[in-house]
Amino acid sequence: HITDATLAIVKGETVPLDVLQIKGEKEQPVFAMTGLRWGSFRDAGVKVSKYWYLGPLKTKAAHFFSTLQEWPQTHQASISYTGPTERPPSEPEETPPRPSLYRRILRRLASFWAQPQDAFSREVSPQVWKDVQLSTIELSITTRNSQLDLTASALIFYKDISSGGKGQSKEDFMNICIEPDTVSKGDFITIGSKKVRDPDLRAAGTECLQASHCTLLLPEGTEGSFSIDSEEYEAMPVEVTLLPRKLQFFCDPRKRERMLQSASQ
């Protein structure tokens, strides 16, 4: 495995993964591969280890004892976000031959004379921001990297690449999932126990938004913590920016070939 990984690095066999830049009011930005979670499911999940003495029942116990606190457990916040951004066309693999010196001179002269007119005619379309007031049992802002699962992540992106961007998503975005605050205690225990193993699981009635940039504002005096890639941070207003395909993740070339074949089927 070490030899295969080394060869993949040397040959540049990589898959592109999205990254989230999460910036608070005072601290340096934090970068995430999976995303940010804030809510009651997260809070109960981090307490599972405290009930280790209950063995296989520790997960359900953590969520059960959480329901004995104030109920329903709602989290109030507001979000401002902009929609997905259009994915730029992929660069051709083969570099076209360089034009002759004569053609290059004519092209530069033409661009020089046309530049003033183009500069005035261009208009930058302003970004449209949308505001959402939310009351939720849990909020998550995630990439589409599929839980850092290399196979799933590479499959998603290589489907886009193998199809030339046709038939797949032509936009870059992160997912903002707002789970309802009407979850019953029984569903909270059942869904929460499954979420420990599968954080991508969502309660019925979850609203999902697609965004390239968002600002999460919390009421003054809000307590609790975020989970950012399973690391705990103090809950605070944050600004989240999607950095599409920012990280090139090394991949075994044989796995890549298998994924390309399955994507083309």
Side-chain angles (χ1 to χ4, degrees):
H1 292 305
I2 294 175
T3 303
D4 291 341
T6 303
L7 289 175
I9 294 172
V10 172
K11 295 180 180 180
E13 301 287 352
T14 60
V15 291
L17 299 180
D18 294 343
V19 177
L20 295 183
Q21 176 182 281
I22 303 171
K23 187 174 182 181
E25 296 177 341
K26 300 178 181 179
E27 300 179 358
Q28 294 294 322
V30 176
F31 297 93
M33 292 289 297
T34 53
L36 176 151
R37 287 181 64 193
W38 175 55
S40 300
F41 287 120
R42 187 219 75 90
D43 295 342
V46 298
K47 296 178 181 177
V48 169
S49 59
K50 293 184 177 181
Y51 303 97
W52 59 269
Y53 51 85
L54 294 177
L57 297 177
K58 60 184 179 182
T59 302
K60 289 188 179 296
H63 291 82
F64 170 75
F65 288 121
S66 180
T67 62
L68 299 181
Q69 301 173 4
E70 182 182 357
W71 192 267
Q73 299 178 12
T74 59
H75 295 72
Q76 309 289 334
S78 63
I79 286 183
S80 298
Y81 71 97
T82 58
T85 57
E86 186 175 355
R87 179 172 298 178
S90 58
E91 298 179 358
E93 296 182 359
E94 298 182 359
T95 305
R98 192 178 185 186
S100 63
L101 177 62
Y102 176 72
R103 287 181 176 274
R104 295 202 304 271
I105 293 175
L106 287 179
R107 188 177 298 173
R108 289 191 178 184
L109 288 173
S111 62
F112 174 78
W113 290 109
Q115 187 174 2
Q117 184 178 357
D118 291 345
F120 285 109
S121 61
R122 289 176 185 172
E123 294 183 1
V124 179
S125 57
Q127 290 183 325
V128 178
W129 287 83
K130 299 179 182 179
D131 298 324
V132 176
Q133 299 292 328
L134 58 93
S135 174
T136 178
I137 196 168
E138 179 152 297
L139 170 73
S140 62
I141 304 174
T142 59
T143 64
R144 294 187 292 163
N145 293 338
S146 188
Q147 299 180 315
L148 290 181
D149 181 352
L150 179 61
T151 303
S153 302
L155 180 58
I156 291 172
F157 285 101
Y158 275 103
K159 276 187 177 180
D160 293 344
I161 294 172
S162 63
S163 62
K166 298 179 180 179
Q168 300 292 332
S169 173
K170 296 182 180 180
E171 296 177 324
D172 292 314
F173 59 87
M174 54 187 169
N175 290 315
I176 303 174
C177 293
I178 306 168
E179 303 196 43
D181 58 359
T182 55
V183 177
S184 66
K185 291 186 177 182
D187 288 341
F188 179 82
I189 296 172
T190 302
I191 297 172
S193 300
K194 294 179 180 179
K195 269 179 171 284
V196 174
R197 298 185 299 271
D198 182 12
D200 284 343
L201 184 66
R202 304 282 181 253
T206 298
E207 179 184 4
C208 290
L209 309 174
Q210 297 177 349
S212 58
H213 186 95
C214 77
T215 301
L216 174 62
L217 300 177
L218 307 182
E220 187 176 353
T222 298
E223 299 179 353
S225 300
F226 293 149
S227 279
I228 301 178
D229 281 3
S230 300
E231 293 290 334
E232 191 166 296
Y233 294 84
E234 179 186 356
M236 65 178 67
V238 292
E239 181 180 346
V240 185
T241 304
L242 175 69
L243 306 178
R245 302 177 306 285
K246 187 68 173 180
L247 179 65
Q248 297 295 326
F249 201 85
F250 295 110
C251 175
D252 188 303
R254 291 172 297 182
K255 286 187 178 181
R256 190 185 70 169
E257 291 300 325
R258 289 198 296 268
M259 288 183 289
L260 286 172
Q261 291 176 1
S262 62
S264 61
Q265 294 176 354

